[in-house]
Amino acid sequence: MNKTIAFFDSGIGGIPYLIHLRNIKSDFNYVYLADNANFPYGIKTGETIKEIVLSAIGRFIEKTSPDVIVIACNTATVVTLPYLREKYNIPFVGVVPAVKPAASISENKRIGLFATNKTVSDSYTDNLISQFAGNCEVYKYADPNIVSFIENKMFESDNKEIMDFLLPAANYFIEKDVDHVVLGCTHFLFIHDTLENLFPQKIKIIDSREGVSRQVLRIISDTDTCARFSLRRRCAVSIEDTAKQTAWDSDTGSKINDSAFYLTSSSVNNDYYKKIAERFMIKYSGII
Ligand code: DGL
């Protein structure tokens, strides 16, 4: 029986994490839940986030019976992970800002954290920084308008519009003279390439996809793939190209995986979500 791996986010932000793992391991079943009814999480209180995440995850488990759930949302992880683990008897993998690797490779010991308002202000993040980046200056930046733009408009916008949205954030990190920027909101993985173009070469962007995929494989005890994966380097292709590669078997040319994409609410935006799911080779499968 194939293992089922579930990914959860307030919206589309967790898709790059699903694609990254599907690229390594195409024979798992992949299911995805976007809690669009409650998007955005980043400007809500901890109490509210806890309540909505616990409820959505309960329905997601009932519907899909996953073997592992990836909370592919930094905000939800930072606020709810211990509560999820206490309530549901299932392995959870959280997504937290990759501050630790950034601090260890930063040369000038100045790093940027680009995340949601909740993630940059939460005590969890303060602890993460003091534990793993105590020797660095960490500059945090949040802008809920960018998160909403990515969720609702980016895929129908041109490059100029996307750059205009990102310019203040890019300038902030450039002015602070950081040499690494951590993408601490999963939505920002979609703007990785645009951000990279706005940065001078010395600023490198870091995210947590690799660590998260490795952790899922460890939990599933797929030690073989895990070992092979350690030898791979992340290829410099776009998320979309990777999605296309992974949804088709290169030998037979046939579709190898019907990943399923769910929403928590039907809205005027449903067609937009359907199009995005399709773009990333995930089959829109309804409301949970
Ligand atoms: N994608 C989510 C994260 O990683 C947050 C987006 C939101 O504000 O809902 O934090």
Side-chain angles (χ1 to χ4, degrees), residues 118-281:
K118 181 64 188 157
T119 299
V120 299
S121 62
D122 201 87
S123 57
Y124 183 99
T125 305
D126 290 339
N127 292 338
L128 198 69
I129 292 171
S130 53
Q131 206 180 339
F132 299 112
N135 58 344
C136 293
E137 292 294 334
V138 180
Y139 297 95
K140 305 176 197 167
Y141 190 94
D143 181 351
N145 293 326
I146 300 179
V147 183
S148 291
F149 172 72
I150 295 169
E151 178 77 14
N152 296 310
K153 292 206 187 81
M154 195 191 86
F155 290 96
E156 288 169 353
S157 306
D158 60 34
N159 207 32
K160 161 95 177 58
E161 248 177 297
I162 302 173
M163 298 234 295
D164 286 348
F165 251 93
L166 295 180
L167 209 54
N171 284 338
Y172 173 81
F173 292 122
I174 293 168
E175 273 161 26
K176 296 297 179 195
D177 188 33
V178 301
D179 66 358
H180 285 81
V181 170
V182 177
L183 300 183
C185 167
T186 55
H187 279 74
F188 297 161
L189 272 69
F190 287 117
I191 42 106
H192 175 286
D193 295 353
T194 316
L195 209 50
E196 199 168 59
N197 287 333
L198 291 169
F199 283 156
Q201 261 201 341
K202 80 160 228 193
I203 303 184
K204 307 282 179 240
I205 301 173
I206 298 202
D207 65 66
S208 56
R209 266 175 294 181
E210 204 155 314
V212 166
S213 295
R214 205 190 298 276
Q215 182 60 9
V216 173
L217 292 169
R218 255 188 232 122
I219 289 173
I220 298 288
S221 297
D222 194 334
T223 40
D224 255 18
T225 310
C226 207
R228 264 186 287 128
F229 168 44
S230 302
L231 302 172
R232 284 167 72 113
R233 286 196 53 78
R234 207 169 84 216
C235 39
V237 292
S238 74
I239 292 169
E240 271 169 83
D241 288 343
T242 315
K244 281 177 195 132
Q245 279 168 23
T246 60
W248 299 88
D249 184 319
S250 52
D251 293 335
T252 63
S254 62
K255 203 159 189 191
I256 49 177
N257 192 298
D258 268 332
S259 315
F261 183 93
Y262 298 95
L263 293 170
T264 52
S265 113
S266 166
S267 75
V268 282
N269 242 356
N270 262 31
D271 283 345
Y272 179 75
Y273 281 111
K274 281 180 197 167
K275 265 193 240 157
I276 291 180
E278 205 173 283
R279 183 174 188 143
F280 293 105
M281 317 282 159

Side-chain angles (χ1 to χ4, degrees), residues 9-14 38-43 72-77 95 115-117 119 144 147-148 151 184-188:
D9 180 48
S10 60
I12 59 173
N38 295 301
F39 177 87
Y41 285 178
I43 50 173
C73 172
N74 294 264
T75 314
T77 299
V95 167
T116 63
N117 296 63
T119 299
V147 183
S148 291
E151 178 77 14
C185 167
T186 55
H187 279 74
F188 297 161

